Amino acid sequence: DSGVTQTPKHLITATGQRVTLRCSPRSGDLSVYWYQQSLDQGLQFLIQYYNGEERAKGNILERFSAQQFPDLHSELNLSSLELGDSALYFCASSEGHLNREAFFGQGTRLTVV
Amino acid sequence: ELKVEQNPLFLSMQEGKNYTIYCNYSTTSDRLYWYRQDPGKSLESLFVLLSNGAVKQEGRLMASLDTKARLSTLHITAAVHDLSATYFCAVPLLKETSGSRLTFGEGTQLTVNP
């Protein structure tokens, strides 16, 4: 158990819908990262938050947004879902800016039908 | 743009054999991470290599980092079935003003056959 908690574990939704994925980082970690893992794209970095502020942005679609709350948990919002958004979404956390390890949650498997 | 390449992408080996997975990356980095992933599961941290020449061993796995060659290796000794998984290397991109991220290799799917 990495100490990073993601909910829900599985999500099935229809095209055009909106979902929210939640992540609680390890105790003491200030950085939260979101990654998408799909068969065709591999593991792709989406976005990083550090202590409530957005710090780095990767290949995140405009339909996707994220935030980190004062208690440091983070949410990834995915809207106008398409079949191609089906993937495993991971949250990771680290103490700072990847000075050492990043710990990954169990992931949320999103299936868009 | 940082690129991370692993080879081989697929590796089928017999129990008891040795093999090496290679990870090349395109821009300067003084650290590298190795992860293991079982099907449908999370990424488990195996090694964090923090300097040139770093070598770490855990059981039948040994990882090393050559920052000058931009190369890391993951060596498997006397493979056992339990090592069957996908192995990823990842390189951090650290920017003081704009945060950090990991760029992953494509992954090496290892199957150890009895």
Side-chain angles (χ1 to χ4, degrees), chain A residues 26-46:
Chain A
R26 287 190 327 149
S27 177
D29 284 356
L30 298 180
S31 275
V32 169
Y33 311 81
W34 287 98
Y35 289 85
Q36 179 194 60
Q37 186 177 31
S38 61
L39 282 175
D40 53 344
Q41 299 282 341
L43 268 160
Q44 298 260 314
F45 168 75
L46 296 178

Side-chain angles (χ1 to χ4, degrees), chain A residues 5-7 20-25 31-34 47-49 65-77 91-92:
Chain A
T5 304
Q6 287 187 249
T7 56
T20 297
L21 313 183
R22 183 188 168 103
C23 169
S24 294
S31 275
V32 169
Y33 311 81
W34 287 98
I47 198 163
Q48 177 204 6
Y49 277 82
S65 65
Q67 53 184 330
Q68 187 180 28
F69 294 86
D71 67 352
L72 301 177
H73 91 271
S74 178
E75 292 181 356
L76 179 67
N77 301 297
C91 167

Side-chain angles (χ1 to χ4, degrees), chain B residues 51-70:
Chain B
S51 62
N52 184 40
V55 177
K56 288 197 173 178
Q57 182 158 9
E58 181 74 35
R60 300 173 190 274
L61 300 178
M62 183 172 71
S64 66
L65 178 61
D66 181 343
T67 59
K68 291 177 182 161
R70 297 178 188 168

